Amino acid sequence: MRAGVPHLYVGVVEHLGVVGPLVLPGASACGGCLALSRTDEDAAWPRLLAQLAEDGPGRPRTPACDSALATAVAGLAALHVQLYLDGARPPSVDGWCEISAADGFARRLRLPGHPDCGCLWQPAAQR
């Protein structure tokens, strides 16, 4: 964020592939906004997230990943990067896209900037 480098979150957790948010520093919502929004909705979210990251106490989690899902997620991520590089606004900006291996559905979820995050705050000179 501090370097101003756009970056894209991509991952697979069990049957769900996620692409986004594509973060445009200072211009779009970020991973911090997502964490804060989820915590606003459910105060237990940080504990749940920690549990998702581990198989057991102190052991890193080995995520299950179907090869078709991994390929779909990689392709969607590459498409979003290409759209951005071509000057378009991919759907992963201010949101994220999910692909479910359980039912084959793809959907986009909106991610507004969180007021407590600070990623969209303007420097004092620009206010």
Side-chain angles (χ1 to χ4, degrees), residues 8-11 16-22 73 76-77 80 90-100 105-111:
L8 178 63
Y9 291 82
V10 178
L16 192 65
V18 179
V19 176
L22 172 57
V73 169
L76 185 60
H80 285 216
S92 54
V93 173
D94 288 328
W96 71 94
C97 299
E98 295 180 345
I99 303 172
S100 172
F105 279 103
R107 65 182 181 152
R108 182 195 186 264
L109 293 104
R110 190 173 171 276
L111 177 62

Side-chain angles (χ1 to χ4, degrees), residues 23-74:
V23 180
L24 310 176
S28 70
C30 71
C33 294
L34 178 56
L36 288 167
S37 296
R38 290 262 171 106
T39 302
D40 287 349
E41 294 170 7
D42 181 355
W45 172 251
R47 289 191 310 271
L48 176 61
L49 190 59
Q51 290 173 4
L52 288 173
E54 292 184 357
D55 253 345
R59 291 188 315 227
R61 183 179 160 340
T62 304
C65 185
D66 176 87
S67 60
L69 178 60
T71 302
V73 169

